Coordinates of all heavy atoms in Angstrom, one line a residue:
M18 N -82.9 -54.1 -64.5 CA -82.0 -55.0 -65.0 C -82.6 -56.4 -65.0 O -83.4 -56.7 -64.1 CB -80.7 -55.1 -64.2 CG -79.8 -54.0 -64.5 SD -78.1 -54.4 -63.9 CE -77.7 -52.8 -63.2
K19 N -82.3 -57.2 -65.9 CA -82.8 -58.6 -66.1 C -81.7 -59.6 -65.7 O -80.5 -59.3 -65.7 CB -83.2 -58.8 -67.5 CG -84.1 -57.9 -68.1 CD -85.5 -58.1 -67.7 CE -86.5 -57.2 -68.4 NZ -87.8 -57.2 -67.8
A20 N -82.2 -60.7 -65.2 CA -81.3 -61.8 -64.8 C -80.9 -62.7 -66.0 O -81.8 -63.0 -66.9 CB -81.9 -62.7 -63.8
Y21 N -79.7 -63.0 -66.2 CA -79.2 -63.9 -67.3 C -78.2 -64.9 -66.7 O -77.7 -64.8 -65.6 CB -78.4 -63.0 -68.3 CG -79.3 -62.1 -69.0 CD1 -79.4 -60.8 -68.6 CD2 -80.0 -62.4 -70.2 CE1 -80.2 -59.9 -69.3 CE2 -80.8 -61.5 -70.9 CZ -80.9 -60.3 -70.4 OH -81.7 -59.4 -71.1
E22 N -78.0 -65.9 -67.6 CA -77.0 -66.9 -67.2 C -76.2 -67.2 -68.5 O -76.8 -67.3 -69.6 CB -77.8 -68.2 -66.7 CG -77.4 -69.5 -67.1 CD -78.3 -70.5 -66.4 OE1 -78.5 -70.5 -65.2 OE2 -78.7 -71.4 -67.2
L23 N -74.9 -67.3 -68.3 CA -74.0 -67.5 -69.4 C -73.2 -68.8 -69.2 O -72.7 -69.0 -68.1 CB -73.0 -66.3 -69.5 CG -71.7 -66.6 -70.3 CD1 -72.0 -66.8 -71.7 CD2 -70.7 -65.4 -70.1
L24 N -73.3 -69.7 -70.1 CA -72.6 -70.9 -70.1 C -71.6 -71.0 -71.2 O -72.0 -70.7 -72.4 CB -73.5 -72.2 -70.1 CG -72.8 -73.5 -70.1 CD1 -72.1 -73.8 -68.8 CD2 -73.8 -74.6 -70.4
F25 N -70.3 -71.1 -70.9 CA -69.3 -71.2 -72.0 C -68.3 -72.3 -71.7 O -68.2 -72.7 -70.6 CB -68.7 -69.8 -72.2 CG -67.7 -69.4 -71.2 CD1 -66.4 -69.7 -71.3 CD2 -68.2 -68.8 -70.0 CE1 -65.5 -69.3 -70.3 CE2 -67.3 -68.4 -69.0 CZ -66.0 -68.6 -69.2
F26 N -67.6 -72.7 -72.7 CA -66.5 -73.6 -72.5 C -65.3 -73.2 -73.4 O -65.4 -72.6 -74.4 CB -66.9 -75.1 -72.6 CG -67.0 -75.6 -74.0 CD1 -65.9 -76.1 -74.7 CD2 -68.2 -75.6 -74.7 CE1 -66.0 -76.6 -76.0 CE2 -68.3 -76.1 -75.9 CZ -67.2 -76.6 -76.6
V27 N -64.1 -73.5 -72.8 CA -62.9 -73.3 -73.5 C -62.2 -74.7 -73.6 O -62.6 -75.6 -73.0 CB -61.9 -72.3 -72.7 CG1 -62.6 -71.0 -72.6 CG2 -61.6 -72.9 -71.3
A28 N -61.2 -74.7 -74.5 CA -60.4 -76.0 -74.6 C -59.7 -76.3 -73.3 O -59.1 -75.4 -72.7 CB -59.4 -75.8 -75.8
P29 N -59.7 -77.5 -72.9 CA -59.1 -77.9 -71.6 C -57.6 -77.8 -71.6 O -56.9 -77.7 -70.6 CB -59.5 -79.3 -71.3 CG -60.0 -79.8 -72.6 CD -60.4 -78.7 -73.5
S30 N -57.0 -77.6 -72.8 CA -55.6 -77.6 -73.0 C -55.0 -76.2 -72.8 O -53.8 -76.0 -72.7 CB -55.2 -78.1 -74.3 OG -55.8 -77.4 -75.4
I31 N -55.9 -75.1 -72.7 CA -55.3 -73.8 -72.6 C -54.8 -73.6 -71.2 O -55.3 -74.2 -70.2 CB -56.3 -72.7 -73.0 CG1 -57.5 -72.5 -72.1 CG2 -56.8 -72.9 -74.4 CD1 -58.3 -71.3 -72.3
N32 N -53.9 -72.6 -71.0 CA -53.3 -72.4 -69.7 C -54.2 -71.6 -68.8 O -55.1 -71.0 -69.2 CB -51.9 -71.8 -69.8 CG -51.9 -70.5 -70.5 OD1 -52.9 -69.8 -70.6 ND2 -50.8 -70.1 -71.1
E33 N -53.9 -71.5 -67.5 CA -54.6 -70.8 -66.5 C -54.7 -69.3 -66.8 O -55.7 -68.6 -66.5 CB -54.1 -71.0 -65.1 CG -54.5 -72.3 -64.5 CD -56.0 -72.4 -64.3 OE1 -56.7 -71.5 -63.9 OE2 -56.6 -73.5 -64.7
D34 N -53.6 -68.7 -67.3 CA -53.5 -67.3 -67.6 C -54.6 -67.0 -68.7 O -55.3 -65.9 -68.6 CB -52.1 -66.9 -68.1 CG -51.1 -67.0 -67.0 OD1 -51.5 -67.0 -65.8 OD2 -49.9 -67.1 -67.3
S35 N -54.7 -67.8 -69.7 CA -55.7 -67.5 -70.8 C -57.1 -67.7 -70.3 O -58.0 -66.9 -70.6 CB -55.5 -68.5 -72.0 OG -54.2 -68.3 -72.5
R36 N -57.3 -68.6 -69.4 CA -58.6 -68.8 -68.8 C -59.0 -67.7 -67.9 O -60.1 -67.2 -68.0 CB -58.6 -70.2 -68.1 CG -60.0 -70.6 -67.7 CD -59.9 -72.0 -67.1 NE -59.6 -73.0 -68.1 CZ -58.6 -73.9 -68.0 NH1 -57.9 -74.0 -66.9 NH2 -58.3 -74.7 -69.0
A37 N -58.0 -67.2 -67.2 CA -58.3 -66.0 -66.3 C -58.5 -64.8 -67.1 O -59.3 -63.9 -66.7 CB -57.1 -65.8 -65.4
A38 N -57.9 -64.6 -68.2 CA -58.1 -63.5 -69.1 C -59.5 -63.5 -69.7 O -60.1 -62.4 -69.8 CB -57.0 -63.5 -70.2
V39 N -60.0 -64.6 -70.0 CA -61.3 -64.7 -70.6 C -62.3 -64.3 -69.5 O -63.3 -63.5 -69.7 CB -61.7 -66.2 -71.0 CG1 -63.1 -66.4 -71.3 CG2 -60.8 -66.5 -72.3
M40 N -62.1 -64.8 -68.3 CA -63.0 -64.5 -67.1 C -63.0 -63.0 -66.9 O -64.0 -62.3 -66.6 CB -62.6 -65.2 -65.9 CG -63.0 -66.7 -65.9 SD -64.8 -66.9 -66.1 CE -65.4 -66.1 -64.7
K41 N -61.8 -62.4 -66.9 CA -61.6 -60.9 -66.6 C -62.3 -60.1 -67.7 O -63.0 -59.1 -67.4 CB -60.1 -60.6 -66.6 CG -59.8 -59.2 -66.3 CD -60.2 -58.8 -64.9 CE -59.7 -57.4 -64.7 NZ -60.4 -56.8 -63.5
R42 N -62.2 -60.6 -69.0 CA -62.9 -59.9 -70.1 C -64.4 -59.9 -69.9 O -65.1 -58.9 -70.2 CB -62.4 -60.4 -71.4 CG -63.0 -59.7 -72.6 CD -62.0 -59.6 -73.7 NE -62.5 -58.8 -74.7 CZ -62.2 -58.9 -76.0 NH1 -61.4 -59.9 -76.4 NH2 -62.7 -58.1 -76.9
I43 N -64.9 -61.1 -69.5 CA -66.4 -61.2 -69.3 C -66.8 -60.3 -68.2 O -67.8 -59.6 -68.3 CB -66.8 -62.7 -69.1 CG1 -66.5 -63.5 -70.3 CG2 -68.2 -62.8 -68.6 CD1 -66.6 -65.0 -70.1
E44 N -66.2 -60.3 -67.1 CA -66.5 -59.5 -65.9 C -66.4 -58.0 -66.3 O -67.3 -57.2 -65.8 CB -65.7 -59.9 -64.7 CG -65.9 -61.2 -64.1 CD -64.9 -61.7 -63.1 OE1 -63.9 -61.0 -62.9 OE2 -65.2 -62.7 -62.4
T45 N -65.4 -57.6 -67.0 CA -65.3 -56.2 -67.4 C -66.4 -55.8 -68.3 O -66.9 -54.7 -68.1 CB -63.9 -56.0 -68.1 OG1 -62.9 -56.4 -67.2 CG2 -63.7 -54.6 -68.5
T46 N -66.8 -56.6 -69.3 CA -67.8 -56.3 -70.2 C -69.2 -56.1 -69.5 O -69.9 -55.2 -69.7 CB -68.0 -57.4 -71.3 OG1 -66.7 -57.5 -71.9 CG2 -69.0 -57.0 -72.3
I47 N -69.4 -57.0 -68.5 CA -70.7 -56.9 -67.7 C -70.6 -55.6 -66.9 O -71.6 -54.9 -66.8 CB -70.9 -58.1 -66.9 CG1 -71.2 -59.4 -67.8 CG2 -72.0 -57.9 -65.9 CD1 -71.2 -60.7 -67.0
A48 N -69.5 -55.3 -66.2 CA -69.4 -54.2 -65.4 C -69.5 -52.9 -66.2 O -70.0 -51.9 -65.7 CB -68.1 -54.2 -64.6
E49 N -68.9 -52.8 -67.4 CA -69.0 -51.6 -68.2 C -70.4 -51.2 -68.5 O -70.8 -50.1 -68.7 CB -68.2 -51.8 -69.5 CG -66.7 -51.7 -69.2 CD -65.9 -52.0 -70.5 OE1 -66.5 -52.4 -71.5 OE2 -64.7 -51.8 -70.4
G50 N -71.3 -52.3 -68.6 CA -72.7 -52.0 -68.9 C -73.5 -51.8 -67.7 O -74.8 -52.0 -67.7
K51 N -72.9 -51.6 -66.5 CA -73.6 -51.3 -65.2 C -74.2 -52.6 -64.7 O -75.1 -52.5 -63.9 CB -74.6 -50.2 -65.3 CG -74.1 -48.9 -65.9 CD -73.2 -48.2 -64.9 CE -72.8 -46.8 -65.3 NZ -71.7 -46.7 -66.3
G52 N -73.8 -53.8 -65.2 CA -74.3 -55.0 -64.7 C -73.6 -55.6 -63.5 O -72.5 -55.0 -63.1
T53 N -74.1 -56.6 -62.9 CA -73.4 -57.3 -61.8 C -73.3 -58.8 -62.0 O -74.3 -59.4 -62.5 CB -74.2 -57.0 -60.5 OG1 -75.5 -57.5 -60.6 CG2 -74.2 -55.5 -60.2
V54 N -72.2 -59.3 -61.6 CA -72.0 -60.8 -61.6 C -72.5 -61.3 -60.2 O -72.0 -60.9 -59.2 CB -70.6 -61.2 -61.8 CG1 -70.4 -62.7 -61.7 CG2 -70.1 -60.6 -63.2
D55 N -73.5 -62.2 -60.3 CA -74.0 -62.8 -59.1 C -73.3 -64.0 -58.6 O -73.1 -64.2 -57.4 CB -75.5 -63.1 -59.3 CG -76.3 -61.9 -59.7 OD1 -76.0 -60.8 -59.2 OD2 -77.3 -62.1 -60.4
N56 N -73.0 -64.9 -59.5 CA -72.4 -66.2 -59.1 C -71.5 -66.7 -60.3 O -71.9 -66.6 -61.4 CB -73.5 -67.2 -58.8 CG -72.9 -68.4 -58.2 OD1 -71.9 -68.5 -57.5 ND2 -73.5 -69.6 -58.5
I57 N -70.4 -67.3 -60.0 CA -69.6 -68.0 -60.9 C -69.4 -69.4 -60.5 O -68.9 -69.7 -59.4 CB -68.2 -67.3 -61.1 CG1 -68.4 -65.9 -61.6 CG2 -67.3 -68.1 -62.0 CD1 -67.1 -65.1 -61.6
D58 N -69.8 -70.3 -61.3 CA -69.7 -71.8 -61.0 C -68.8 -72.5 -62.0 O -69.2 -72.6 -63.2 CB -71.1 -72.4 -61.0 CG -71.2 -73.8 -60.5 OD1 -70.2 -74.2 -59.9 OD2 -72.2 -74.4 -60.6
V59 N -67.7 -72.9 -61.6 CA -66.7 -73.6 -62.5 C -67.1 -75.0 -62.5 O -66.9 -75.7 -61.5 CB -65.3 -73.3 -62.1 CG1 -64.3 -74.1 -63.0 CG2 -65.0 -71.8 -62.0
W60 N -67.6 -75.5 -63.6 CA -67.9 -76.9 -63.7 C -66.7 -77.8 -64.0 O -66.8 -79.0 -63.7 CB -68.9 -77.1 -64.8 CG -70.3 -76.6 -64.6 CD1 -70.7 -75.9 -63.5 CD2 -71.4 -76.7 -65.4 NE1 -72.0 -75.6 -63.6 CE2 -72.5 -76.1 -64.8 CE3 -71.7 -77.3 -66.6 CZ2 -73.8 -76.0 -65.3 CZ3 -72.9 -77.2 -67.2 CH2 -74.0 -76.6 -66.5
G61 N -65.7 -77.3 -64.6 CA -64.5 -78.1 -64.9 C -64.6 -78.8 -66.2 O -65.5 -78.5 -67.1
K62 N -63.8 -79.8 -66.3 CA -63.7 -80.6 -67.6 C -64.9 -81.5 -67.7 O -65.2 -82.3 -66.8 CB -62.4 -81.3 -67.6 CG -62.1 -82.0 -68.9 CD -60.7 -82.6 -68.9 CE -60.4 -83.5 -70.1 NZ -59.1 -84.1 -70.0
R63 N -65.6 -81.5 -68.9 CA -66.7 -82.3 -69.2 C -66.5 -82.9 -70.6 O -66.0 -82.2 -71.5 CB -68.0 -81.6 -69.1 CG -68.3 -80.9 -67.8 CD -68.9 -82.0 -66.9 NE -69.1 -81.4 -65.6 CZ -70.3 -81.1 -65.0 NH1 -71.4 -81.3 -65.7 NH2 -70.3 -80.7 -63.8
K64 N -67.1 -84.1 -70.8 CA -67.0 -84.7 -72.2 C -68.1 -84.0 -73.0 O -69.2 -83.8 -72.6 CB -67.4 -86.2 -72.0 CG -67.2 -86.9 -73.2 CD -65.8 -87.6 -73.2 CE -65.7 -88.6 -74.3 NZ -64.5 -88.4 -75.1
L65 N -67.7 -83.7 -74.3 CA -68.7 -83.1 -75.2 C -69.6 -84.2 -75.9 O -69.1 -85.3 -76.0 CB -67.9 -82.3 -76.3 CG -67.0 -81.2 -75.9 CD1 -66.3 -80.6 -77.1 CD2 -67.8 -80.1 -75.1
A66 N -70.8 -83.8 -76.2 CA -71.7 -84.8 -76.9 C -71.2 -85.2 -78.3 O -71.4 -86.3 -78.7 CB -73.1 -84.2 -77.0
Y67 N -70.5 -84.3 -78.9 CA -69.9 -84.5 -80.2 C -68.6 -83.7 -80.4 O -68.5 -82.7 -79.7 CB -70.9 -84.3 -81.4 CG -71.5 -82.9 -81.3 CD1 -70.9 -81.8 -82.0 CD2 -72.6 -82.6 -80.6 CE1 -71.4 -80.5 -82.0 CE2 -73.2 -81.3 -80.6 CZ -72.5 -80.3 -81.3 OH -73.1 -79.0 -81.2
E68 N -67.8 -84.1 -81.3 CA -66.5 -83.4 -81.5 C -66.7 -82.0 -82.1 O -67.5 -81.9 -83.1 CB -65.6 -84.2 -82.4 CG -64.2 -83.7 -82.5 CD -63.4 -84.6 -83.3 OE1 -63.3 -85.8 -83.0 OE2 -62.8 -84.1 -84.3
I69 N -66.1 -81.0 -81.5 CA -66.2 -79.6 -82.0 C -64.7 -79.1 -82.2 O -63.9 -79.1 -81.3 CB -66.9 -78.7 -81.0 CG1 -68.3 -79.2 -80.8 CG2 -66.9 -77.3 -81.5 CD1 -69.0 -78.4 -79.7
N70 N -64.4 -78.8 -83.4 CA -63.1 -78.2 -83.8 C -62.0 -79.2 -83.3 O -60.9 -78.7 -82.8 CB -62.8 -76.9 -83.2 CG -63.8 -75.8 -83.7 OD1 -64.4 -76.0 -84.8 ND2 -64.0 -74.7 -83.0
G71 N -62.2 -80.5 -83.4 CA -61.2 -81.5 -82.9 C -61.1 -81.7 -81.4 O -60.3 -82.5 -81.0
L72 N -62.0 -81.1 -80.7 CA -62.1 -81.3 -79.2 C -63.1 -82.3 -78.9 O -64.2 -82.3 -79.4 CB -62.4 -79.9 -78.5 CG -61.4 -78.8 -78.7 CD1 -62.0 -77.5 -78.1 CD2 -60.1 -79.1 -78.0
T73 N -62.8 -83.1 -77.9 CA -63.8 -84.1 -77.3 C -64.2 -83.7 -75.9 O -65.1 -84.3 -75.4 CB -63.3 -85.5 -77.4 OG1 -62.0 -85.6 -76.7 CG2 -63.0 -86.0 -78.8
D74 N -63.4 -82.8 -75.3 CA -63.7 -82.3 -73.9 C -63.7 -80.8 -73.9 O -63.1 -80.2 -74.8 CB -62.6 -82.8 -72.9 CG -62.5 -84.3 -72.8 OD1 -63.6 -84.9 -72.8 OD2 -61.4 -84.9 -72.7
G75 N -64.3 -80.3 -72.9 CA -64.4 -78.8 -72.7 C -64.3 -78.5 -71.3 O -64.8 -79.2 -70.4
D76 N -63.8 -77.3 -71.0 CA -63.7 -76.8 -69.6 C -64.8 -75.8 -69.4 O -64.7 -74.6 -69.9 CB -62.3 -76.2 -69.3 CG -62.1 -76.0 -67.9 OD1 -63.0 -76.2 -67.1 OD2 -60.9 -75.5 -67.5
Y77 N -65.9 -76.1 -68.7 CA -67.1 -75.3 -68.6 C -67.1 -74.4 -67.4 O -66.6 -74.7 -66.4 CB -68.3 -76.3 -68.5 CG -68.7 -76.9 -69.8 CD1 -68.1 -78.1 -70.2 CD2 -69.8 -76.4 -70.5 CE1 -68.5 -78.7 -71.3 CE2 -70.2 -77.0 -71.7 CZ -69.5 -78.2 -72.1 OH -69.9 -78.8 -73.3
T78 N -67.8 -73.2 -67.6 CA -68.0 -72.2 -66.6 C -69.4 -71.7 -66.8 O -69.9 -71.4 -67.9 CB -67.0 -71.1 -66.7 OG1 -65.7 -71.6 -66.6 CG2 -67.2 -70.1 -65.5
L79 N -70.2 -71.6 -65.7 CA -71.5 -71.0 -65.6 C -71.5 -69.7 -64.8 O -71.0 -69.7 -63.7 CB -72.5 -72.0 -65.0 CG -73.9 -71.5 -64.9 CD1 -74.6 -71.4 -66.2 CD2 -74.7 -72.5 -63.9
I80 N -72.0 -68.6 -65.4 CA -72.0 -67.3 -64.7 C -73.4 -66.8 -64.7 O -74.1 -66.7 -65.7 CB -71.1 -66.3 -65.5 CG1 -69.7 -66.8 -65.6 CG2 -71.2 -64.9 -64.8 CD1 -68.8 -65.9 -66.4
D81 N -73.9 -66.5 -63.5 CA -75.2 -65.8 -63.3 C -74.9 -64.3 -63.1 O -74.1 -64.0 -62.3 CB -75.9 -66.4 -62.0 CG -76.3 -67.8 -62.2 OD1 -76.8 -68.2 -63.2 OD2 -76.1 -68.6 -61.2
F82 N -75.7 -63.5 -63.9 CA -75.5 -62.1 -63.8 C -76.7 -61.3 -64.1 O -77.7 -61.9 -64.6 CB -74.3 -61.7 -64.7 CG -74.6 -61.8 -66.2 CD1 -75.0 -60.7 -66.9 CD2 -74.5 -63.0 -66.8 CE1 -75.3 -60.9 -68.3 CE2 -74.7 -63.2 -68.2 CZ -75.2 -62.1 -68.9
H83 N -76.8 -60.0 -63.7 CA -77.8 -59.1 -64.0 C -77.3 -58.0 -64.9 O -76.2 -57.5 -64.7 CB -78.4 -58.5 -62.8 CG -79.4 -59.3 -62.0 ND1 -78.9 -60.4 -61.2 CD2 -80.7 -59.3 -62.0 CE1 -80.0 -61.0 -60.7 NE2 -81.1 -60.4 -61.1
A84 N -78.0 -57.7 -66.0 CA -77.5 -56.7 -66.9 C -78.8 -56.2 -67.7 O -79.8 -56.7 -67.7 CB -76.5 -57.3 -67.9
N85 N -78.5 -55.0 -68.4 CA -79.5 -54.5 -69.2 C -79.5 -55.2 -70.5 O -78.5 -55.7 -71.0 CB -79.3 -53.0 -69.5 CG -79.5 -52.2 -68.2 OD1 -80.4 -52.4 -67.5 ND2 -78.6 -51.2 -68.0
P86 N -80.7 -55.4 -71.2 CA -80.7 -56.2 -72.4 C -79.8 -55.7 -73.5 O -79.2 -56.5 -74.3 CB -82.2 -56.1 -72.9 CG -82.9 -55.9 -71.6 CD -82.0 -55.0 -70.7
E87 N -79.6 -54.4 -73.7 CA -78.7 -53.9 -74.7 C -77.2 -54.3 -74.4 O -76.4 -54.4 -75.4 CB -78.9 -52.4 -74.9 CG -78.6 -51.6 -73.7 CD -79.9 -51.3 -72.8 OE1 -80.9 -52.0 -73.1 OE2 -79.7 -50.6 -71.9
N88 N -76.9 -54.5 -73.2 CA -75.5 -54.8 -72.9 C -75.2 -56.3 -73.1 O -74.1 -56.7 -73.2 CB -75.2 -54.4 -71.4 CG -75.3 -52.9 -71.2 OD1 -76.2 -52.5 -70.5 ND2 -74.5 -52.2 -71.9
V89 N -76.3 -57.1 -73.1 CA -76.1 -58.6 -73.4 C -75.6 -58.8 -74.8 O -74.8 -59.7 -75.1 CB -77.4 -59.3 -73.1 CG1 -77.3 -60.8 -73.5 CG2 -77.8 -59.2 -71.6
A90 N -76.1 -57.9 -75.7 CA -75.7 -58.0 -77.1 C -74.2 -57.7 -77.2 O -73.5 -58.4 -78.0 CB -76.5 -57.1 -78.0
E91 N -73.7 -56.8 -76.4 CA -72.2 -56.5 -76.4 C -71.4 -57.6 -75.9 O -70.4 -58.0 -76.4 CB -72.0 -55.2 -75.6 CG -70.5 -54.9 -75.4 CD -69.8 -54.6 -76.7 OE1 -70.4 -54.4 -77.8 OE2 -68.5 -54.6 -76.7
L92 N -71.9 -58.3 -74.8 CA -71.3 -59.4 -74.2 C -71.2 -60.6 -75.2 O -70.2 -61.2 -75.4 CB -72.0 -59.9 -72.9 CG -71.4 -61.1 -72.2 CD1 -70.0 -60.9 -71.8 CD2 -72.3 -61.5 -71.0
D93 N -72.3 -60.8 -75.9 CA -72.4 -61.8 -77.0 C -71.3 -61.5 -78.1 O -70.6 -62.5 -78.5 CB -73.8 -61.9 -77.6 CG -73.9 -63.1 -78.5 OD1 -73.5 -64.2 -78.2 OD2 -74.4 -62.8 -79.6
R94 N -71.2 -60.3 -78.5 CA -70.2 -59.9 -79.5 C -68.8 -60.2 -79.0 O -68.0 -60.7 -79.7 CB -70.4 -58.4 -79.8 CG -69.5 -58.0 -81.0 CD -69.4 -56.5 -81.1 NE -68.7 -55.8 -80.0 CZ -67.4 -55.8 -79.9 NH1 -66.6 -56.3 -80.8 NH2 -66.8 -55.1 -78.9
V95 N -68.5 -59.8 -77.7 CA -67.2 -60.0 -77.2 C -66.8 -61.5 -77.1 O -65.7 -61.9 -77.4 CB -67.1 -59.4 -75.8 CG1 -65.9 -59.8 -75.0 CG2 -67.1 -57.9 -75.9
L96 N -67.8 -62.3 -76.7 CA -67.5 -63.8 -76.6 C -67.3 -64.4 -78.0 O -66.5 -65.3 -78.2 CB -68.7 -64.5 -75.9 CG -68.8 -64.2 -74.4 CD1 -70.1 -64.7 -73.9 CD2 -67.7 -64.9 -73.7
R97 N -68.0 -63.9 -79.0 CA -67.8 -64.4 -80.4 C -66.4 -64.1 -80.9 O -65.9 -64.9 -81.7 CB -68.8 -63.8 -81.3 CG -70.2 -64.4 -81.2 CD -71.1 -63.8 -82.2 NE -72.5 -63.9 -81.7 CZ -73.5 -63.9 -82.5 NH1 -73.4 -63.8 -83.8 NH2 -74.7 -64.1 -82.0
I98 N -65.8 -63.0 -80.6 CA -64.5 -62.6 -81.1 C -63.4 -63.1 -80.2 O -62.2 -62.9 -80.5 CB -64.4 -61.1 -81.4 CG1 -64.5 -60.3 -80.1 CG2 -65.4 -60.7 -82.4 CD1 -64.2 -58.8 -80.3
T99 N -63.7 -63.7 -79.0 CA -62.6 -64.2 -78.1 C -62.3 -65.6 -78.6 O -63.1 -66.5 -78.6 CB -63.2 -64.2 -76.7 OG1 -63.6 -62.9 -76.3 CG2 -62.1 -64.7 -75.7
D100 N -61.0 -65.7 -79.0 CA -60.6 -67.0 -79.6 C -60.6 -68.2 -78.6 O -60.8 -69.3 -79.0 CB -59.2 -66.8 -80.2 CG -59.1 -65.9 -81.4 OD1 -60.1 -65.8 -82.1 OD2 -58.1 -65.3 -81.6
A101 N -60.4 -67.9 -77.4 CA -60.3 -69.0 -76.4 C -61.7 -69.6 -76.1 O -61.7 -70.8 -75.8 CB -59.7 -68.5 -75.1
V102 N -62.8 -68.9 -76.3 CA -64.1 -69.4 -76.1 C -64.5 -70.2 -77.3 O -64.7 -69.7 -78.4 CB -65.1 -68.3 -75.8 CG1 -66.5 -68.8 -75.6 CG2 -64.7 -67.5 -74.5
V103 N -64.8 -71.5 -77.1 CA -65.2 -72.4 -78.2 C -66.7 -72.2 -78.5 O -67.1 -72.0 -79.6 CB -64.9 -73.9 -77.9 CG1 -65.3 -74.8 -79.0 CG2 -63.4 -74.0 -77.6
R104 N -67.5 -72.3 -77.5 CA -68.9 -72.1 -77.6 C -69.5 -71.4 -76.4 O -68.9 -71.5 -75.3 CB -69.7 -73.4 -77.7 CG -69.4 -74.2 -79.0 CD -70.3 -73.7 -80.1 NE -70.4 -74.6 -81.2 CZ -69.4 -74.7 -82.2 NH1 -68.4 -74.0 -82.1 NH2 -69.6 -75.5 -83.2
H105 N -70.6 -70.6 -76.6 CA -71.2 -70.0 -75.4 C -72.7 -69.9 -75.7 O -73.2 -70.0 -76.8 CB -70.6 -68.6 -75.2 CG -71.0 -67.6 -76.2 ND1 -70.4 -67.5 -77.5 CD2 -72.0 -66.6 -76.3 CE1 -71.0 -66.6 -78.2 NE2 -71.9 -66.0 -77.5
M106 N -73.4 -69.7 -74.6 CA -74.9 -69.5 -74.7 C -75.3 -68.6 -73.5 O -75.0 -68.8 -72.4 CB -75.6 -70.9 -74.6 CG -77.1 -70.8 -74.7 SD -77.9 -72.4 -74.8 CE -77.4 -73.1 -73.3
I107 N -76.1 -67.5 -73.9 CA -76.6 -66.6 -72.9 C -78.1 -66.8 -72.9 O -78.8 -66.8 -73.9 CB -76.3 -65.2 -73.2 CG1 -74.8 -65.0 -73.3 CG2 -76.9 -64.2 -72.2 CD1 -74.3 -63.6 -73.8
V108 N -78.7 -67.1 -71.7 CA -80.1 -67.3 -71.5 C -80.7 -66.4 -70.5 O -80.1 -66.1 -69.4 CB -80.4 -68.8 -71.0 CG1 -81.8 -69.1 -70.8 CG2 -79.7 -69.8 -72.0
K109 N -81.9 -65.8 -70.8 CA -82.6 -64.9 -69.9 C -83.3 -65.8 -68.8 O -83.9 -66.7 -69.1 CB -83.6 -64.1 -70.6 CG -84.3 -63.1 -69.7 CD -85.3 -62.3 -70.6 CE -86.1 -61.4 -69.7 NZ -87.1 -60.7 -70.5
R110 N -83.1 -65.4 -67.5 CA -83.7 -66.2 -66.4 C -84.9 -65.4 -65.9 O -84.7 -64.5 -65.1 CB -82.7 -66.4 -65.3 CG -81.5 -67.3 -65.8 CD -81.9 -68.7 -66.0 NE -82.6 -69.3 -64.9 CZ -82.1 -70.1 -64.0 NH1 -80.8 -70.5 -64.1 NH2 -82.8 -70.6 -63.0
T111 N -86.1 -65.8 -66.2 CA -87.3 -65.0 -65.7 C -87.6 -65.4 -64.3 O -88.3 -64.7 -63.6 CB -88.5 -65.4 -66.6 OG1 -88.7 -66.8 -66.7 CG2 -88.3 -64.8 -68.0
D112 N -87.0 -66.5 -63.8 CA -87.3 -67.0 -62.4 C -86.4 -66.2 -61.4 O -86.6 -66.4 -60.2 CB -87.1 -68.5 -62.3 CG -85.7 -68.9 -62.7 OD1 -85.0 -68.3 -63.5 OD2 -85.3 -70.0 -62.1
R113 N -85.5 -65.4 -61.9 CA -84.6 -64.7 -60.9 C -84.6 -63.2 -61.0 O -83.8 -62.5 -60.5 CB -83.1 -65.1 -61.2 CG -82.9 -66.6 -60.9 CD -81.4 -66.9 -61.1 NE -81.2 -68.3 -60.9 CZ -80.1 -69.0 -61.1 NH1 -79.1 -68.3 -61.5 NH2 -80.0 -70.3 -60.9
D114 N -85.6 -62.7 -61.7 CA -85.7 -61.2 -61.8 C -86.0 -60.5 -60.5 O -86.6 -61.1 -59.6 CB -86.8 -60.8 -62.9 CG -86.2 -61.0 -64.3 OD1 -85.0 -61.0 -64.4 OD2 -87.0 -61.0 -65.2

């Protein structure tokens, strides 16, 4: 398994239940691919560099995890179709393998 890091943000106006549902879906997708979540770091509300979909702020979360490369594509697909996630980025971490 390879080490990855996922950074995503949601609109700060969504409720806690929706935010928890997004986290649960991410954790489930990683676990279904036999991956493991190493660390979840909630950054909280941050100002965006530019306006995206009418938003000027975002609620950021950073997740460190290990997964097989083919399962990262599935996680990317799930994040793209999740309406609550405004933007996301998955990066391979070669320093943590």
Side-chain angles (χ1 to χ4, degrees):
M18 283 198 222
K19 305 281 183 190
Y21 294 93
E22 137 178 313
L23 162 66
L24 179 66
F25 71 95
F26 77 89
V27 297
S30 60
I31 70 169
N32 59 21
E33 280 299 318
D34 294 337
S35 298
R36 193 171 293 131
V39 169
M40 286 300 301
K41 180 70 173 161
R42 184 142 189 213
I43 291 170
E44 290 172 349
T45 303
T46 304
I47 292 171
E49 284 174 352
K51 307 287 190 275
T53 59
V54 175
D55 300 328
N56 186 33
I57 298 174
D58 188 13
V59 178
W60 288 3
K62 187 176 173 182
R63 301 277 173 108
K64 189 97 170 132
L65 300 179
Y67 54 91
E68 187 175 304
I69 300 174
N70 298 339
L72 298 174
T73 56
D74 295 321
D76 195 356
Y77 284 84
T78 304
L79 178 71
I80 301 174
D81 295 319
F82 66 98
H83 280 79
N85 293 318
E87 58 271 8
N88 300 110
V89 174
E91 174 64 14
L92 178 60
D93 186 49
R94 185 192 72 78
V95 166
L96 288 167
R97 285 182 201 203
I98 63 174
T99 304
D100 292 333
V102 176
V103 179
R104 292 281 196 277
H105 72 278
M106 182 172 59
I107 302 172
V108 179
K109 183 177 173 186
R110 296 291 307 258
T111 55
D112 60 332
R113 295 186 183 172
D114 281 342

